Amino acid sequence: MDHSSDDNKRNEEINNEKNNERNDEKSDERGGFHHNPKDEQLEQYREHNTGPGKKLTSDAGLKISNDDRSLKAGRRGPTLFQDFRFYKKQSHFSRERIPEKVVHARGFGVYGDFELYKSMRHVTTAEFLQDPGCKTPVFVRFSNFIGSKGSKDTAIDVRGFATKFYTTEGNYDNLALQFPVFLVADAMKFADMVHAIKPNPVTDVPQAAAAHDNFWDYVANNQETAHMIMWLMSMRGRPRSWRMMEGWPINTFRFINEHGKSTFVRFVWKPVLGVHSLLLDEANVIGGVDPDYHRNDIIEAIRCGAYPEYEFGVQLIPEEDEFKYDFDILDDTKLWPEELIPVEIVGKMTLNRLVDNFFAEEEQSSFDPSNVVPGIDFTNDPVLQGRSFAYRDTDYHRLGSGNIQQIPVNQPVNDVNFNERQGYMRHRIDADSVHYRENSLAGNTPETTPPEEGGYAHYPENVDGYKTREVPSESFNDHFSQARLFWNSMTHVEKEDLIETFIYHLAKVESKSVRKQNVDMFVNVDREMACIIADNIGVDRPTGSHVPVEKQSPALSLANMPHSAYTQKVGVLIGNGFHGEEVRNTLDILHKYGVFVDIISEKLGAIRGSDGTIVEANKTFITTYPVLYDALYVVGGSPEHEAKFKQDVMDFLDEAYKHYKPIGIATTATNYIQTSDTNNLEGVVFAVNNPDFGKDFISAIAQQRFWKRQ
């Protein structure tokens, strides 16, 4: 998975320019620099309860004189029922929680902008895809699929990547996963799949994990899962960051142009930083030491002005080519290989602002695949057909009202006129006496809009046939060809990691029968893989062999992703007495290339170099952990507690080394690591006698992992 120095240099130069540009700007705690139409709309809802002259009141406006003690009958007496302040405060608190989402409960949302690169007018009338340079406000929610709202970020799991476009034609919701394929081919099976992967209903264990009997029993007995399971068990199931994760709306949609011509389309978000992942051991440890790892990562990036960026791509298939391929284009367990149907990049999304209030904006955000705009329509994709109903119905229940679009984060930015009335949480005051269609009292308004003037109209697809529960085509029953394609496309390192992750999950399954069923199933993907898994989970090797597919898709391998030092996180292990000039120069070049840095020492505060240089430690060995860093810069020094300091440094160094991470060694730290018969020190960069240490270290950070390390 190595990359050329030329590629690294080019990426570093680009990221260096971005970093310098962003350092010239000023941001607030939320990260944004400018207003957009959605931000301006939200301004009317923002309230500040603190500040000079602010007085505590009830929600009805009554000024409160005492908010610390209950009203009692005598100094040691019982609380009086007439203490309305206590009643109102406590009763509101008792109602502060709403039901969490059944799936994707753990999430985090941020705002941004989408800018169109090139016009898609030839295939769609969607207004936000017409004019290059057009900017559309967006809200994006990243989420985990399995766990509860309080689970960890780094679970091996399916991630949600939901984007709400606040277009001039209404909200368009683009709901994606970090994989291009799904576990089921028909929405009818979705509830069963979720029941299987959720914690055991008797014990409610395990939380946020797929390593249990019920899930793998479901997998073995519903073999359409094979393809997505390969993705889930791969490195892609453990993203390094939401900023380094693709987003694939798994469904097939239609683009409709001004002439009424239909084109099949699938969408994808491709992170500018490339797709990068955690190792299995890293993900497990981080889940314990920093369960908010992905949240903290994106918050830090936005606050620093290193805004997450994703290019928006489309894959297009003309209507007449619907049956051209050896897979059904409506089957969500199948991807559209990029080598066959290229991804055309048409725009870029930049996430640049945090929410003001997590509950009001993120927790109450609602996404719905049926929120489309003219020029985008549904296909007969069996999963999409179910999703277009289920999402809105779920949020009607979870948010307790049919008025979910009146919640500020969900409101469109264009004019809204409709006849739906009343219901819980009705904030809008509709001052009209008429609220029905076909009327004379209001001049038959609000009027409908004909399609030629921008009104939404469905594509007039010809539909014919008997009512049936048959699969749409026989290729829906081919569960292994694309799973095999995915396997063939992996590097040796990726294959080893995938096998290890399979073993990690299946070894936790108590039922030997279920373990054996899975081995017998995945022999269809690769015989050698299945045999290695069998040898490690206590079952007999399978008979049979894999399907006869030898094709590869280079786009599926992480080895072919962009690599950069930009926003990689480096831990600097340092004590008093360091070489001032050397450390200053190294920190300067790290900053120049947009690397995030933590100064780690035995205690917080000033660390003094041999020449009087001072750096401020913002972390201690007690408050942080080596798995939280992409690379280490080991400086050493003469700390107060030398033996303890040395042991802490060695613990960090050993952990980073075994995870193949780049390590920079200052001239004052050469005693911490030496070449031996058991290591080759690949990816370890020494400052001694190396005038190009800074640049060499940056190149190593950009490479990210050194898989040939011993």
Side-chain angles (χ1 to χ4, degrees):
M1 299 179 74
D2 292 345
H3 296 264
S4 71
S5 59
D6 288 342
D7 287 342
N8 286 337
K9 183 177 181 181
R10 184 166 61 255
N11 286 329
E12 287 156 11
E13 289 173 350
I14 293 170
N15 292 325
N16 183 26
E17 291 175 5
K18 290 180 181 178
N19 189 54
N20 290 337
E21 289 172 2
R22 285 161 178 161
N23 285 336
D24 290 338
E25 298 173 315
K26 295 180 180 179
S27 65
D28 58 20
E29 279 292 285
R30 295 179 296 139
F33 300 129
H34 58 86
H35 288 282
N36 60 27
K38 185 63 184 180
D39 195 41
E40 293 168 0
Q41 181 194 63
L42 291 174
E43 185 60 34
Q44 65 183 304
Y45 299 102
R46 295 186 180 116
E47 298 288 348
H48 295 281
N49 298 293
T50 60
K54 293 285 187 177
K55 303 294 185 182
L56 180 67
T57 72
S58 70
D59 54 7
L62 180 69
K63 291 181 179 178
I64 305 300
S65 63
N66 190 305
D67 199 46
D68 301 314
R69 294 179 294 279
S70 303
L71 187 66
K72 298 180 286 296
R75 187 172 185 179
R76 297 172 62 81
T79 299
L80 295 176
F81 188 70
Q82 72 185 68
D83 187 355
F84 62 82
R85 174 57 187 163
F86 169 74
Y87 165 72
K88 291 182 177 180
K89 184 178 181 180
Q90 180 60 42
S91 60
H92 189 284
F93 174 77
S94 300
R95 292 161 175 79
E96 284 183 357
R97 297 295 179 267
I98 63 175
E100 67 176 35
K101 292 176 180 285
V102 176
V103 292
H104 296 289
R106 181 170 181 80
F108 193 79
V110 293
Y111 292 99
D113 299 285
F114 171 75
E115 182 173 0
L116 188 67
Y117 287 163
K118 57 190 294 188
S119 175
M120 298 303 291
R121 189 185 305 274
H122 61 293
V123 288
T124 180
T125 60
E127 191 167 355
F128 77 104
L129 297 176
Q130 299 300 296
D131 300 318
C134 173
K135 284 192 174 182
T136 304
V138 297
F139 179 76
V140 175
R141 184 179 188 267
F142 300 100
S143 58
N144 283 22
F145 183 85
I146 304 173
S148 69
K149 190 171 180 291
S151 59
K152 62 185 179 181
D153 282 351
T154 57
I156 297 169
D157 197 358
V158 182
R159 264 85 188 171
F161 187 144
T163 304
K164 185 181 296 293
F165 291 82
Y166 300 102
T167 85
T168 57
E169 299 179 295
N171 289 351
Y172 166 53
D173 290 351
N174 180 284
L175 290 96
L177 306 176
Q178 91 267 36
F179 311 140
V181 293
F182 202 41
L183 282 163
V184 300
D186 192 295
M188 180 70 84
K189 301 182 74 169
F190 181 74
D192 294 318
M193 180 269 291
V194 173
H195 288 166
I197 202 169
K198 282 289 189 175
N200 185 289
V202 176
T203 62
D204 202 38
V205 173
Q207 173 63 243
H212 58 92
D213 288 50
N214 282 3
F215 178 63
W216 288 97
D217 180 53
Y218 180 87
V219 168
N221 289 280
N222 295 270
Q223 297 194 352
E224 69 202 68
T225 60
H227 191 189
M228 187 174 179
I229 292 301
M230 293 294 291
W231 285 76
L232 181 62
M233 295 296 101
S234 77
M235 290 182 178
R236 288 177 182 258
R238 308 180 300 268
R240 157 62 181 85
S241 164
W242 293 326
R243 301 178 295 114
M244 305 170 192
M245 181 180 83
E246 285 179 332
W248 296 85
I250 56 168
N251 301 122
T252 301
F253 289 86
R254 292 181 187 272
F255 271 159
I256 312 295
N257 70 10
E258 61 182 340
H259 304 295
K261 179 176 174 55
S262 166
T263 303
F264 294 108
V265 59
R266 282 194 180 183
F267 304 102
V268 61
W269 294 105
K270 288 191 173 286
V272 172
L273 293 176
V275 178
H276 304 290
S277 299
L278 299 169
L279 300 182
L280 176 62
D281 184 54
E282 287 178 304
N284 288 335
V285 174
I286 291 172
V289 302
D290 185 6
D292 302 305
Y293 181 71
H294 287 149
R295 293 188 184 201
N296 288 331
D297 174 85
I298 202 167
I299 290 169
E300 179 181 27
I302 291 177
R303 284 180 173 170
C304 289
Y307 298 137
E309 296 177 320
Y310 307 83
E311 291 191 308
F312 190 49
V314 295
Q315 291 179 286
L316 303 175
I317 294 179
E319 182 94 9
E320 58 270 21
D321 290 345
E322 179 177 1
F323 303 105
K324 177 181 178 180
Y325 305 97
D326 61 1
F327 55 88
D328 196 312
I329 69 170
L330 302 184
D331 184 353
D332 291 337
T333 68
K334 311 295 195 300
L335 57 81
W336 294 5
E338 294 185 41
E339 291 76 17
L340 291 178
I341 305 111
V343 172
E344 182 180 358
I345 299 299
V346 301
K348 184 174 72 173
M349 177 170 68
T350 303
L351 303 180
N352 53 27
R353 186 168 66 79
L354 302 174
V355 300
D356 291 285
N357 182 278
F358 179 85
F359 178 84
E361 296 170 272
E362 196 285 336
E363 188 66 16
Q364 291 194 118
S365 65
S366 175
F367 293 85
D368 181 357
S370 68
N371 282 344
V372 292
V373 293
I376 301 176
D377 200 356
F378 307 118
T379 64
N380 295 330
D381 173 334
V383 174
L384 176 58
Q385 292 286 314
R387 292 180 89 197
S388 63
F389 160 79
Y391 278 70
R392 177 58 62 91
D393 187 62
T394 297
D395 276 352
Y396 280 162
H397 165 71
R398 190 177 74 89
L399 295 170
S401 171
N403 292 317
I404 55 179
Q405 293 299 137
Q406 291 189 39
I407 298 170
V409 68
N410 299 323
Q411 288 184 12
V413 296
N414 59 316
D415 288 339
V416 176
N417 306 295
F418 55 91
N419 289 323
E420 285 76 32
R421 292 292 188 268
Q422 303 175 3
Y424 290 112
M425 300 191 306
R426 186 70 172 192
H427 301 293
R428 178 183 171 116
I429 301 174
D430 298 290
D432 312 282
S433 62
V434 173
H435 52 98
Y436 50 89
R437 275 284 298 145
E438 305 298 341
N439 65 74
S440 62
L441 295 176
N444 207 25
T445 60
E447 298 178 86
T448 58
T449 304
E452 57 270 18
E453 296 178 17
Y456 189 86
H458 290 278
Y459 178 68
E461 178 185 9
N462 180 50
V463 178
D464 186 25
Y466 298 99
K467 294 180 181 178
T468 179
R469 295 189 186 273
E470 295 175 289
V471 294
S473 69
E474 284 306 311
S475 65
F476 269 67
N477 293 321
D478 177 6
H479 304 319
F480 300 107
S481 291
Q482 286 206 347
R484 173 72 178 169
L485 171 72
F486 182 79
W487 172 260
N488 292 343
S489 305
M490 299 295 99
T491 63
H492 178 70
V493 168
E494 290 172 299
K495 289 179 178 179
E496 285 189 330
D497 178 89
L498 194 152
I499 291 172
E500 179 185 8
T501 309
F502 259 117
I503 293 169
Y504 171 83
H505 283 78
L506 287 171
K508 290 177 178 285
V509 172
E510 295 181 6
S511 169
K512 186 173 183 178
S513 171
V514 170
R515 298 199 302 270
K516 184 65 168 69
Q517 289 175 61
N518 275 276
V519 167
D520 290 343
M521 170 180 168
F522 282 97
V523 73
N524 293 288
V525 176
D526 187 75
R527 175 164 178 78
E528 182 181 10
M529 175 189 76
C531 289
I532 294 173
I533 295 170
D535 292 346
N536 282 272
I537 63 171
V539 299
D540 293 336
R541 288 188 166 195
T543 58
S545 188
H546 45 257
V547 294
V549 173
E550 301 305 323
K551 292 184 292 186
Q552 298 181 6
S553 173
L556 303 183
S557 174
L558 298 188
N560 300 319
M561 291 293 167
H563 284 64
S564 170
Y566 184 62
T567 76
Q568 292 286 293
K569 194 159 190 174
V570 173
V572 180
L573 312 182
I574 192 168
N576 290 317
F578 61 86
H579 190 298
E581 182 181 5
E582 179 184 311
V583 170
R584 283 198 309 273
N585 290 339
T586 303
L587 294 180
D588 285 347
I589 197 168
L590 292 176
H591 176 73
K592 176 182 176 182
Y593 283 89
V595 176
F596 292 168
V597 173
D598 274 348
I599 306 296
I600 307 167
S601 194
E602 55 187 341
K603 56 187 177 183
L604 299 178
I607 310 295
R608 188 177 297 274
S610 57
D611 62 351
T613 297
I614 293 177
V615 297
E616 291 283 330
N618 65 319
K619 301 285 184 182
T620 72
F621 292 109
I622 295 176
T623 61
T624 192
Y625 298 84
V627 289
L628 303 180
Y629 298 96
D630 301 298
L632 294 180
Y633 175 36
V634 184
V635 179
S638 303
E640 184 177 347
H641 304 287
E642 189 166 352
K644 178 67 166 60
F645 179 88
K646 184 174 182 179
Q647 185 58 55
D648 287 336
V649 171
M650 291 305 301
D651 289 344
F652 270 68
L653 192 55
D654 290 345
E655 191 86 0
Y657 194 85
K658 78 173 184 178
H659 290 148
Y660 311 100
K661 294 179 178 179
I663 299 169
I665 302 293
T667 55
T668 51
T670 52
N671 59 313
Y672 283 100
I673 188 166
Q674 303 289 333
T675 304
S676 71
D677 293 337
T678 59
N679 68 44
N680 59 11
L681 301 190
E682 189 192 19
V684 180
V685 183
F686 290 89
V688 173
N689 300 322
N690 184 1
D692 294 322
F693 169 73
K695 290 185 178 180
D696 290 346
F697 189 32
I698 286 292
S699 294
I701 295 169
Q703 185 167 323
Q704 301 181 14
R705 306 275 188 184
F706 291 85
W707 301 111
K708 297 178 182 178
R709 177 178 288 170
Q710 298 173 350

